[in-house]
Amino acid sequence: MLRLLIREPLIHFVIIGGLLFAAYSMLAQAPGEEAVNRIMVDTGLIDRLERDFVRQWRRPPDDLEREGLIQEYLREEILYREALARGLDRNDAVVRQRLARKMEAFAIIDAGVPAEPTETELRAYFAQHVERFATPEQISFTHVFLARDSRGDDLAADARTLLGELRAAAVSDIDGLGDAPPTRPSYEGTTQREAARQFGRTFAERLFELPAGSWQGPVESGFGLHLVLIITRTPSRDPEFEQVAFEVRSDYLENRRRELRSAVFTEMRRNYAIEMPAPDQADRQ
């Protein structure tokens, strides 16, 4: 029977075809050339990320937030591709974000679980990061807003003129000045983190550098320019270790988990070539 099959012309054709296909596959890739996963970050993608941000926060992102959106997209895309490469999508009708989180969970399990810290380690961690457990600095402020969209090229000049008027006026005289603000005109007991959620990180950092008691600015946000009066400032306060021991332990373990995730992701990212738009295309001004 075997001899009859060997003599069959159709069998010869199948064997020869298979050999030719294998040879072509081997020669299709140049010697020494490695297959590379490429991720293209173009202006269309960045525009989509910005639109999603605006829908969620009702304001455009600042430069730091835009960079964060891109980096989060790259993280998700790489984890998603790694998940597909390992077959985590089989028989599982889930979206790419869930696959990325699934890949990350598998990678963390492989990396191991952080060991339970000793009190000595926690006290050392607390000493290094005491600012994380402090009562944050708070300010109360009011602001006058000038809209970029409506004022165009006159925005900076209008801000300088209005700043002079505000410094010569009482606080009660600001009604009707500037443009209708996209947020509340005044805030009480606001932390830097809360201000960043409303106006963006760059604005919040500049806001907390301003002196109290006089009109300052202009301070730029994604909305436009703001002239700001810091009314009161409450400094931050450092706690004792015993007051926040539970929080220190939780933060320590979460920090170790973040380090593990970062190390695992960095190793994954080495397998990808990231293509970014040219500087002139990336200019969002």
Side-chain angles (χ1 to χ4, degrees):
M1 182 65 178
L2 180 58
R3 291 180 179 177
L4 291 175
L5 287 174
I6 292 174
R7 293 175 183 175
E8 185 64 37
L10 180 60
I11 299 299
H12 296 170
F13 178 81
V14 171
I15 293 174
I16 293 171
L19 292 173
L20 289 173
F21 180 81
Y24 175 80
S25 299
M26 294 174 64
L27 294 174
Q29 186 169 319
E33 182 181 352
E34 296 180 359
V36 177
N37 283 309
R38 297 191 179 278
I39 299 176
M40 178 65 72
V41 178
D42 56 20
T43 53
L45 170 65
I46 296 174
D47 287 341
R48 179 174 64 79
L49 295 175
E50 290 183 353
R51 288 195 298 271
D52 291 343
F53 184 97
V54 170
R55 278 196 294 269
Q56 181 176 358
W57 297 104
R58 300 292 187 267
R59 64 172 177 83
D62 61 27
D63 291 341
L64 290 174
E65 289 168 331
R66 184 180 298 108
E67 178 63 19
L69 293 173
I70 295 172
Q71 294 305 318
E72 180 57 25
Y73 168 80
L74 291 174
R75 179 182 182 83
E76 184 178 288
E77 179 68 17
I78 289 172
L79 289 170
Y80 169 70
R81 293 190 186 191
E82 289 290 330
L84 292 181
R86 299 192 186 192
L88 299 183
D89 63 321
R90 293 174 186 169
N91 303 317
D92 191 0
V94 294
V95 296
R96 54 174 282 154
Q97 187 177 59
R98 184 174 176 184
L99 283 175
R101 299 296 176 262
K102 197 173 182 180
M103 181 65 235
E104 188 172 51
F106 272 81
I108 294 304
I109 290 173
D110 291 342
V113 178
E116 183 66 27
T118 65
E119 182 175 338
T120 300
E121 289 173 326
L122 290 179
R123 285 185 177 274
Y125 183 80
F126 171 73
Q128 293 172 358
H129 306 285
V130 64
E131 71 281 353
R132 296 188 185 181
F133 310 101
T135 301
E137 179 184 10
Q138 298 179 351
I139 63 172
S140 296
F141 72 96
T142 189
H143 67 109
V144 174
F145 171 67
L146 294 93
R148 178 182 295 107
D149 293 342
S150 61
R151 294 180 181 264
D153 295 338
D154 296 328
L155 179 63
D158 289 350
R160 288 192 297 269
T161 300
L162 186 52
L163 179 61
E165 296 176 8
L166 286 168
R167 286 177 171 173
V171 174
S172 59
D173 295 332
I174 69 170
D175 291 343
L177 294 178
D179 303 315
T183 61
R184 301 199 311 269
S186 298
Y187 292 81
E188 294 185 5
T190 298
T191 66
Q192 186 167 326
R193 178 178 295 183
E194 291 166 346
R197 274 200 298 267
Q198 289 290 325
F199 300 95
R201 187 186 306 172
T202 303
F203 176 93
E205 290 176 353
R206 179 76 179 96
L207 176 68
F208 273 72
E209 294 172 351
L210 299 177
S214 63
W215 284 95
Q216 302 290 325
V219 182
E220 185 174 10
S221 75
F223 301 117
L225 296 182
H226 305 254
L227 304 174
V228 180
L229 174 64
I230 306 296
I231 301 171
T232 61
R233 185 187 301 274
T234 304
S236 63
R237 298 186 302 276
D238 293 339
E240 297 295 329
F241 172 78
E242 288 74 16
Q243 296 175 306
V244 291
F246 180 81
E247 290 84 353
V248 173
R249 176 186 175 277
S250 298
D251 195 76
Y252 175 93
L253 291 174
E254 179 57 31
N255 186 66
R256 290 291 294 119
R257 283 189 285 267
R258 282 195 299 268
E259 291 175 347
L260 286 173
R261 285 197 296 269
S262 178
V264 169
F265 178 73
T266 298
E267 191 60 32
M268 287 181 186
R269 184 165 176 152
R270 297 182 194 279
N271 299 320
Y272 294 83
I274 310 300
E275 296 185 4
M276 302 291 290
D280 57 335
Q281 292 179 314
D283 187 4
R284 314 302 302 169
Q285 302 299 322

